[in-house]
Amino acid sequence: MQDHAPRMMPLRLALPLAAGIALATSLPAAADWPTPIQTLERQGLTIHGEFDAPGGLKGYAASIRGQSVAAYLTPDGDHAVVGTLIDAQGRDVSAGPLEQLVDGPKNAELWKAMAEQHWVREGDTDASRVVYTFSDPNCPYCRKFWQDAQPWVESGDVQIRHLMVGILKADSPEKAAAILAADDPSAAIAEHYRTDAMPDSEGTDQSERWVADNTQVMRDAQLHATPVIFYQDDDGAVHKVMGAPAPDKLRTIMGSDSP
């Protein structure tokens, strides 16, 4: 699961334990940001929005190197810290605002980009649930996700769109291109994940370009491991899951407890 709090040096303050619910608000012009927040921006953070935080703090939704983080301004306006602020139940109060202001818009744009790439559909074309995944042929966790998702795919409820990439090993691009060049790429993916077999045919110049394009989309999104899975909830919001999902998360991705 993505950690919203990479290690960074706070300016001066250690963050206290506090309770409350954060509510997202609009972002002022950069020139209006308090000096500590401007300092964090100069240190590499991108500020996406601000939100109300408990204890008199002001929260800022930010990102760095593709990872969402929260920064908090103290009531005096002179100090800030980057990190995780939890309530009395241990919940990260920045989770909602970061999803709304950073991850949500980014995921929605990536959803559009993925739809325009060359992906391999597995499952019924009329399936109401669409799931995208960046998959590397050498990724054991991609195989695990494929295996776990089969009941929903075979039921006709879910279609999975595989964006084949080549990032894990030297022969990953070659293998991904061979799958995309197969007469039946969906069957080639299934056979590969079942038996580790590759198609008899080799990749083509075109399929190699498709793999390169998919890989570039992934890199542009600052995603560095596979699988990366995207799905839409009932409200149309796009969510991202890194790695092979646990059973409860798998059911959320698939939109039902059982196929």
Side-chain angles (χ1 to χ4, degrees):
M1 192 173 189
Q2 182 170 329
D3 178 5
H4 293 316
R7 291 185 177 274
M8 292 189 64
M9 291 298 295
L11 296 188
R12 287 180 61 183
L13 179 72
L15 203 61
L17 181 68
I21 298 175
L23 300 175
T25 60
S26 60
L27 180 68
D32 296 331
W33 296 340
T35 300
I37 301 304
Q38 295 184 37
T39 300
L40 288 175
E41 188 182 35
R42 288 195 296 271
Q43 291 177 352
L45 265 69
T46 299
I47 308 299
H48 298 269
E50 63 180 24
F51 58 93
D52 292 332
L57 300 169
K58 173 65 70 175
Y60 290 83
S63 63
I64 183 168
R65 295 186 293 276
Q67 190 171 31
S68 56
V69 297
Y72 296 94
L73 184 73
T74 56
D76 61 14
D78 294 330
H79 308 88
V81 66
V82 176
T84 302
L85 178 65
I86 62 173
D87 63 16
Q89 288 72 45
R91 296 172 299 199
D92 180 357
V93 301
S94 71
L98 289 178
E99 178 69 26
Q100 178 183 347
L101 297 170
V102 183
D103 298 325
K106 183 169 59 177
N107 291 344
E109 287 301 312
L110 186 54
W111 185 272
K112 296 177 183 178
M114 290 186 296
E116 297 175 354
Q117 292 303 113
H118 189 86
W119 37 262
V120 179
R121 179 186 53 79
E122 185 181 28
D124 196 325
T125 56
D126 295 326
S128 58
R129 190 78 162 186
V130 174
V131 175
Y132 285 97
T133 177
F134 287 100
S135 301
D136 187 296
N138 288 313
C139 172
Y141 302 106
C142 298
R143 175 179 280 107
K144 177 71 165 57
F145 172 60
W146 178 86
Q147 292 171 337
D148 292 346
Q150 287 310 293
W152 284 270
V153 173
E154 292 170 358
S155 73
D157 294 336
V158 176
Q159 59 167 291
I160 298 180
R161 299 176 176 180
H162 297 267
L163 287 92
M164 302 306 299
V165 299
I167 64 170
L168 293 183
K169 295 183 179 180
D171 64 352
S172 288
E174 178 184 350
K175 288 182 176 180
I179 290 173
L180 292 182
D183 292 338
D184 186 342
S186 179
I189 289 175
E191 184 67 15
H192 174 63
Y193 285 144
R194 275 196 300 263
T195 68
D196 207 33
M198 294 301 301
D200 293 334
S201 59
E202 297 181 353
T204 64
D205 289 344
Q206 184 179 53
S207 68
E208 289 173 359
R209 285 195 299 273
W210 288 336
V211 172
D213 289 345
N214 289 344
T215 303
Q216 190 61 53
V217 169
M218 186 178 178
R219 287 174 174 160
D220 288 346
Q222 296 183 301
L223 304 171
H224 308 293
T226 53
V228 190
I229 303 159
F230 293 85
Y231 70 96
Q232 286 182 312
D233 63 22
D234 293 338
D235 296 323
V238 180
H239 301 275
K240 175 181 67 181
V241 177
M242 305 287 289
D248 58 340
K249 180 58 71 174
L250 180 68
R251 292 190 289 270
T252 299
I253 293 170
M254 298 302 163
S256 61
D257 287 341
S258 60

